[in-house]
Amino acid sequence: MTHRRQFMLCAAAFAVAATLPLSAAAEAPAKVGFVYVSPIGDAGWTFQHDLGRKALEAAFGDRIETRYVESVAEGADAERVIREFAASGSKIVFATSFGYMNYVERVARQFPNVTFLHATGYKSAKNFAPYNARFYEGRYLNGVIAGKMTKSNVLGYVGAFPIPEVLQGINAFTMGARSVNPNVEVRVIWANSWYDPGKEREAAMTLISQGADMLTHHTDSTATVQAAEEKGVHAFAYHSDMSKYGPKAQLTATTHHWGEFYKRTVDAVLAGTWKPEGVWGGMKDGMIKLTPLNPAIPEDVQTMVRDLEAKITAGSFHPFTGPVVDQAGTERLATGAVMDDAALGKMDYFVQGVSSRLPNAK
């Protein structure tokens, strides 16, 4: 049975439940919906969110009932799925992709008694708020390793879309690499999709053909890591551990962990204490972690990375500490200053060291 068929059957069941006596309805579990942009699979962005959903089920037991729809495009289909969750009894809806933001905003106005949470966006209202993780923290550390280990001084990056979230990662990766090796350059190829294994592989192969011996990606599939394994270069996985697809290639991975956030949020909603406050958690919150470092990384580099990781976690070091200079040579952040969240959230440029140009750059 397809997930969409299951969803429709659940909707019918909820309609029947609405006719039950108040005492029976009060005993019903709270419905929690998840909207996924790509297939769950066994690795990647959606896989990590689904691990969070499962952690939620384990923590709350029969107090809640979770539902999900995967592979929902960022368009009219997303609005329909979000609205169906709200209309069929969901108390909480988690929409897990940037392109869902405007649809969440629209549906939230129509269902003021439903709580909506939106991943990686920036809008909010009385009954919906954004949540995000500081992906750039792991990216900076990946860059340090890449800068130390590259032989060609060419690093490759497969990107989805040129939005602030993705640009933060590219720039942090570049700054980390250039902090230890000022001769490196980062080349970016856009897949123009969050999940398209064919395009992701093609981009990775092109970067390798251009001399990149270190790859990473801000896309959902394992294609980049697999391409690196096939061609004998190194890679840094993203979202989740992809070492089984590239045991030699993957040096480490920047992984996302949503379970504790989901549990805190659902607990607050059920207790009536939830407030529409944006959440942007990082290493100190356990939302971003590195996977075990590949033994191929020299011991001195491993020590350097662990020391930086500890400083980031403690809050004594921020990857975007000035000077930050863009491709045109313009200083975006003065020496010693730390970039605030407002500036990070509006990032629309590449830093020095990225040799590619933004699609809208003149």
Side-chain angles (χ1 to χ4, degrees):
M1 182 183 295
T2 67
H3 292 306
R4 294 181 185 276
R5 175 61 175 163
Q6 288 176 324
F7 181 88
M8 295 307 293
L9 290 176
C10 287
F14 294 143
V16 172
T19 67
L20 294 175
L22 185 59
S23 59
E27 297 173 1
K31 310 303 187 294
V32 183
F34 288 80
V35 188
Y36 296 150
V37 73
S38 55
I40 294 172
D42 61 357
W45 172 258
T46 292
F47 176 74
Q48 292 300 123
H49 282 283
D50 202 56
L51 288 180
R53 180 187 66 83
K54 290 176 179 177
L56 192 60
E57 288 185 330
F60 284 84
D62 59 8
R63 293 176 59 201
I64 66 167
E65 178 182 316
T66 71
R67 301 176 292 163
Y68 66 87
V69 181
E70 58 190 314
S71 300
V72 180
E74 295 176 323
D77 198 37
E79 182 173 353
R80 179 185 60 78
V81 172
I82 295 165
R83 181 175 286 106
E84 285 180 351
F85 272 134
S88 61
S90 291
K91 191 174 184 64
I92 310 166
V93 178
F94 293 98
T96 66
S97 190
F98 180 83
Y100 295 158
M101 179 171 62
N102 291 334
Y103 305 109
V104 170
E105 181 181 38
R106 190 176 304 165
V107 177
R109 292 196 198 105
Q110 300 166 356
F111 293 89
N113 295 322
V114 178
T115 300
F116 297 85
L117 283 299
H118 172 247
T120 76
Y122 52 84
K123 293 184 177 181
S124 63
K126 290 183 178 180
N127 63 325
F128 90 95
Y131 64 103
N132 205 348
R134 297 182 184 272
F135 313 128
Y136 63 82
E137 294 179 344
R139 295 298 202 177
Y140 186 92
L141 299 177
N142 294 166
V144 170
I145 298 169
K148 279 289 192 180
M149 293 186 65
T150 181
K151 299 292 191 279
S152 67
N153 285 336
V154 179
L155 316 180
Y157 208 115
V158 180
F161 299 101
I163 62 173
E165 165 196 337
V166 181
L167 298 180
Q168 290 162 20
I170 295 169
N171 289 340
F173 182 71
T174 304
M175 291 174 65
R178 285 170 66 87
S179 74
V180 297
N181 182 352
N183 297 316
V184 301
E185 65 171 277
V186 175
R187 299 183 180 182
V188 181
I189 294 181
W190 300 103
N192 295 311
S193 173
W194 294 116
Y195 180 84
D196 189 324
K199 287 184 178 180
E200 294 169 53
R201 175 181 169 81
E202 181 180 359
M205 288 297 191
T206 299
L207 290 165
I208 294 170
S209 73
Q210 293 176 356
D213 62 353
M214 299 277 161
L215 298 180
T216 191
H217 60 105
H218 193 134
T219 47
D220 288 3
S221 86
T222 59
T224 298
V225 172
Q226 289 177 291
E229 183 79 6
E230 180 180 328
K231 292 297 184 179
V233 301
H234 288 303
F236 301 89
Y238 191 53
H239 305 312
S240 56
D241 187 349
M242 299 179 180
S243 57
K244 69 180 179 180
Y245 292 98
K248 294 181 180 178
Q250 180 180 296
L251 294 175
T252 186
T254 295
T255 62
H256 315 155
H257 302 268
W258 305 104
E260 290 304 316
F261 167 73
Y262 285 149
K263 287 188 281 186
R264 290 196 309 270
T265 301
V266 171
D267 188 57
V269 172
L270 296 184
T273 60
W274 182 84
K275 296 180 180 179
E277 299 171 341
V279 171
W280 199 2
M283 287 184 165
K284 71 180 180 64
D285 310 289
M287 292 178 77
I288 295 295
K289 297 179 182 179
L290 292 185
T291 58
L293 302 181
N294 191 314
I297 302 172
E299 288 188 11
D300 63 322
V301 178
Q302 292 196 35
T303 298
M304 177 185 294
V305 169
R306 289 305 184 200
D307 287 347
L308 283 169
E309 183 181 28
K311 290 177 180 177
I312 291 173
T313 302
S316 60
F317 174 72
H318 193 293
F320 285 98
T321 299
V324 175
V325 181
D326 68 18
Q327 283 182 322
T330 301
E331 184 179 81
R332 298 290 186 133
L333 188 69
T335 300
V338 173
M339 191 170 291
D340 61 28
D341 287 353
L344 283 167
K346 296 177 181 178
M347 190 167 282
D348 60 356
Y349 56 87
F350 280 146
V351 296
Q352 284 189 334
V354 182
S355 59
S356 304
R357 297 292 176 182
L358 283 169
N360 59 353
K362 294 182 180 179

